[in-house]
Amino acid sequence: MERLLFLDACVRGPELSRTWRLCQRFLEEYTTLHPQAQVCHRDLRESLPILTGELARQRDGWIARGEDDPRLTPAREIASADLVVVGAPYWDLSFPAVLKVYLEWSSALGITFRYAEDGRQVGLSQARALVYLTSAGGPVEGQNYGFDYLKALGAMFGIPHAYCVAAEGLDIQGTDVQAVLRRAGDRAASLARQLAQEPMCLHG
């Protein structure tokens, strides 16, 4: 069964978040075509503790001893997902802090990446793609640093493909917000169809 991990950093909640609407359009389209997909919805408003130096040391110990502490869940989720979908609004050129906390916990040596004998970093995630869905009050204009970071981190974890759909300019006076969201939703649905039709063996 395909495992789809939905990282929900839509901190305003389903009632107010415009990014949430994009996420739902993508997920509905994808699961219509892949009804057998198991969707794990991770609400990042239920925040993990900030990863301090002491907690990082403890985490290394849990992994080395083969312990299964709940705080290793983010790394295990990223490693075992077939498709990772991230929903995060465009905040301060990036994304809300709750997503960064989750990603720091997911970056675990021995679970999401390792080092080869020659020093190369090798990703351990089986995910075939990462999808980043976002909305912005103004124009992104090549400053989508949140997606740039996720794309690079995904590559570090071994995720070979990353895609972004953004609804931009939503707070600019005179913008037809519903039309912008509708067009972005259509792009999200098109991407969902594209990924649903690709073979599961794409990762490699």
Side-chain angles (χ1 to χ4, degrees), residues 5-6 32 34 38 55 58 60 68 74 86-87 90 92 104 106 126 130 133 149 163 165 181 185 191:
L5 175 62
F6 172 36
T32 295
H34 272 273
Q38 179 183 10
L55 282 174
Q58 291 180 29
D60 292 343
D68 192 21
V86 180
Y90 186 73
D92 306 320
E104 288 184 357
S106 72
Q126 70 176 24
L130 181 148
L133 304 168
Y149 173 74
Y163 306 90
V165 175
L181 287 172
L191 177 58

Side-chain angles (χ1 to χ4, degrees), residues 40-153:
C40 173
H41 177 196
R42 185 63 60 208
D43 187 346
L44 301 187
R45 291 177 298 172
E46 302 170 3
S47 185
L48 290 155
I50 293 173
L51 185 62
T52 63
E54 174 59 23
L55 282 174
R57 184 190 65 78
Q58 291 180 29
R59 180 183 63 180
D60 292 343
W62 301 330
I63 296 171
R65 294 188 297 271
E67 297 178 9
D68 192 21
D69 188 277
R71 284 165 289 187
L72 294 176
T73 298
R76 299 198 190 285
E77 287 177 336
I78 292 286
S80 64
D82 296 302
L83 182 65
V84 179
V85 178
V86 180
Y90 186 73
W91 280 19
D92 306 320
L93 305 181
S94 181
F95 45 65
V98 291
L99 177 55
K100 183 62 165 66
V101 172
Y102 179 96
L103 294 171
E104 288 184 357
W105 279 102
S106 72
S107 184
L109 180 63
I111 299 179
T112 48
F113 72 98
R114 66 176 178 83
Y115 292 107
E117 290 183 1
D118 60 3
R120 289 180 301 108
Q121 206 167 49
V122 179
L124 299 177
S125 175
Q126 70 176 24
R128 61 192 177 100
L130 181 148
V131 174
Y132 187 71
L133 304 168
T134 189
S135 61
V140 174
E141 293 184 342
Q143 294 183 316
N144 198 352
Y145 301 125
F147 174 61
D148 292 343
Y149 173 74
L150 261 294
K151 182 178 181 180
L153 191 66

